[in-house]
Amino acid sequence: MNVTITPTLLRGTITPPPSKSQAHRLIIAAALSDGVCRLSNVELSQDIQATLRCMRTLNADAASDGTVIRGCNLVDGFEVPPPEVMDCGESGSTLRFLIPVALALQGGGKFTGHGRLMERPQGPYFDLFREKGIAWSLEDGVLTVSGRLTPGEYALPGDVSSQFVTGLLYALPLLEGDSEIQLTTGLESRGYVDMTLDALAQFGVSVDYDGDRRFRVPGNQVYQHRDLAIEADWSNAAFWYAARLLGCQVEAAGLNPASVQGDRVIAAFCNRLRESGPVELDVSQCPDLVPPLAAMAALRDRETTRIGNAARLRMKESDRLSTVTEVLTALGADIEEQADALVIQGKAKLPGGVTVSGHNDHRIAMMAAIAATRCEKPVTVTGAECVKKSYPRFWEDYERLGGRLTRA
């Protein structure tokens, strides 16, 4: 689907979709629990459908809408992983969270995905597997892992992806003995690990985190069934915060200001971008905010913004440092791509009048839509259906706020 946007300012109040990051975590914890869990405010983005689909392969009884989940049981004395291939779609969270979970539950499994998913780095797990005697192979886009996950010491880098830490934090409590995760570098995207620890605690699973590089995880724990609601998503709310800073009269409703979601820092970042003078933003803890931050920076008239510590964006759904630069440059922005940063010289308006690719990346398509509100001529976004990955109703919400769209 292609969407052509006729520039106009947006107006109104919108409630962002439920947090995809929190939904992944609560669904997995519910599927590991000792009973029936009821989850409310579940939205079936493509990534959440992938997690539900994979948990069913791991023998959880999960309703197709994600609202009722009956936990699966640990398999005793397994010898061979199940033959079914778990399709993770394009969800890095699904893949990385469930690799150790599958080892703990069923002695391994087979995983595949789409887009760039199977190209994304899994080195921290592979290094651990070699150390722990777990077999793995990656052939024709299918990752196969098999072996017994055992209690003990696990050393991981903290600056590749926090998703590796989360995967182990879900699996290690199921083992028969105590374990410890030791980070070999500082932890980036800590907010996502905080979300994991919060989700585990809500299901009665304890982890002792020293706040730096060490996690102590007692074994023989039981996930206790719970009924919970999923919060509205600060990551997607960031696009409406961006629209507001760009002059739209938009309010994002239903957000929890005390949330453990790390991307709630968008509010503080917006305040900084409203200030005059050069601004430097460190996004090492919140890389998903870069597209809306870049759109705002592009329209800080005659002001310079540097968005740094962002190298990990090169291994997202697209190389986001490259695609943010490409799309905003096409719209008329002045943006320089560096190895791990973007440097942007703001303008009062952007010319627009171009067709840009969504790059099969939900956050790139939404960034283009928000930047288009301050363009002088219409903007066409190709492959605009990619928003379904995290925000299936984005274009409907955009129109609800007065956005002028034509679809083709």
Side-chain angles (χ1 to χ4, degrees):
M1 178 181 72
N2 300 337
V3 169
T4 298
I5 304 163
T6 300
T8 189
L9 293 179
L10 309 177
R11 180 190 301 267
T13 300
I14 210 76
T15 299
S19 167
K20 179 167 67 76
S21 296
Q22 189 182 61
H24 282 302
R25 288 161 171 81
L26 296 187
I27 287 168
I28 294 170
L32 295 175
S33 75
D34 60 354
V36 176
C37 302
R38 291 172 175 81
L39 302 180
S40 57
N41 200 30
V42 179
E43 183 159 298
L44 293 178
S45 65
Q46 290 176 336
D47 281 10
I48 296 306
Q49 291 181 58
T51 291
L52 288 166
R53 183 169 60 239
C54 291
M55 293 314 300
R56 283 193 288 270
T57 301
L58 291 172
N59 293 325
D61 184 3
S64 60
D65 63 1
T67 57
V68 181
I69 299 173
R70 184 185 301 276
C72 47
N73 294 315
L74 194 66
V75 175
D76 186 29
F78 48 72
E79 295 291 340
V80 180
E84 298 89 347
V85 177
M86 286 174 269
D87 183 354
C88 300
E90 296 185 37
S91 175
S93 294
T94 304
L95 176 62
R96 288 171 173 165
F97 292 178
L98 293 188
I99 288 171
V101 168
L103 286 165
L105 286 178
Q106 298 189 344
K110 297 179 179 180
F111 301 85
T112 192
H114 306 282
R116 283 162 42 105
L117 180 62
M118 303 312 290
E119 301 169 19
R120 293 169 74 171
Q122 308 299 334
Y125 279 157
F126 295 161
D127 291 342
L128 285 176
F129 293 166
R130 280 188 283 268
E131 177 187 336
K132 302 291 185 180
I134 293 171
W136 63 272
S137 64
L138 180 58
E139 298 178 3
D140 299 324
V142 176
L143 172 63
T144 302
V145 295
S146 62
R148 181 178 287 274
L149 201 66
T150 56
E153 300 270 345
Y154 288 80
L156 278 176
D159 59 351
V160 177
S161 173
S162 65
Q163 292 171 347
F164 298 112
V165 179
T166 286
L168 287 173
L169 287 174
Y170 272 95
L172 296 180
L174 300 171
L175 304 184
E176 63 274 16
D178 299 346
S179 299
E180 188 172 287
I181 301 171
Q182 176 66 50
L183 301 183
T184 58
T185 65
L187 178 60
E188 296 188 3
S189 294
R190 175 172 169 172
Y192 291 105
V193 173
D194 288 339
M195 291 180 69
T196 299
L197 295 173
D198 180 71
L200 292 172
Q202 292 191 74
F203 283 84
V205 174
S206 64
V207 175
D208 179 17
Y209 176 41
D210 69 359
D212 186 18
R213 297 191 181 187
R214 189 179 297 274
F215 300 82
R216 293 182 175 87
V217 187
N220 293 305
Q221 296 195 64
V222 175
Y223 285 77
Q224 300 165 13
H225 62 280
R226 293 288 308 277
D227 295 344
L228 294 168
I230 296 165
E231 295 178 353
D233 183 45
W234 277 96
S235 300
N236 282 321
F239 291 97
W240 305 124
Y241 270 78
R244 183 176 178 84
L245 188 137
L246 296 185
C248 299
Q249 295 182 30
V250 174
E251 296 284 349
L255 295 161
N256 176 8
S259 173
V260 295
Q261 295 179 55
D263 285 347
R264 70 185 186 284
V265 75
I266 187 63
F269 278 176
C270 283
N271 288 336
R272 293 190 60 192
L273 291 172
R274 290 189 180 96
E275 299 170 359
S276 58
V279 170
E280 184 157 351
L281 302 176
D282 181 344
V283 295
S284 59
Q285 303 299 326
C286 52
D288 285 343
L289 295 183
V290 168
L293 290 172
M296 290 184 272
L299 287 151
R300 292 181 71 222
D301 189 18
R302 293 172 291 182
E303 301 285 11
T304 302
T305 308
R306 186 178 190 276
I307 302 172
N309 289 324
R312 285 183 300 127
L313 287 172
R314 296 199 182 279
M315 290 304 297
K316 294 288 189 176
E317 287 81 349
S318 67
D319 175 346
R320 282 193 188 143
L321 290 183
S322 177
T323 54
V324 165
T325 301
E326 177 187 321
V327 169
L328 289 180
T329 298
L331 296 180
D334 183 350
I335 178 169
E336 176 191 350
E337 176 186 349
Q338 299 181 345
D340 71 342
L342 300 173
V343 179
I344 304 170
Q345 306 293 331
K347 298 181 178 182
K349 282 272 190 179
L350 300 179
V354 294
T355 296
V356 297
S357 172
H359 290 281
N360 196 35
D361 189 330
H362 51 136
R363 300 194 195 279
I364 297 301
M366 291 189 282
M367 176 194 74
I370 297 303
T373 65
R374 290 281 296 278
C375 287
E376 295 174 330
K377 296 178 182 178
V379 173
T380 298
V381 181
T382 64
E385 70 279 0
C386 63
V387 299
K388 292 179 181 178
K389 179 174 172 63
S390 68
Y391 197 160
R393 55 182 167 87
F394 174 78
W395 297 114
E396 288 74 15
D397 283 354
Y398 194 91
E399 288 181 304
R400 193 173 296 116
L401 293 169
R404 297 165 61 190
L405 306 177
T406 56
R407 295 171 170 82

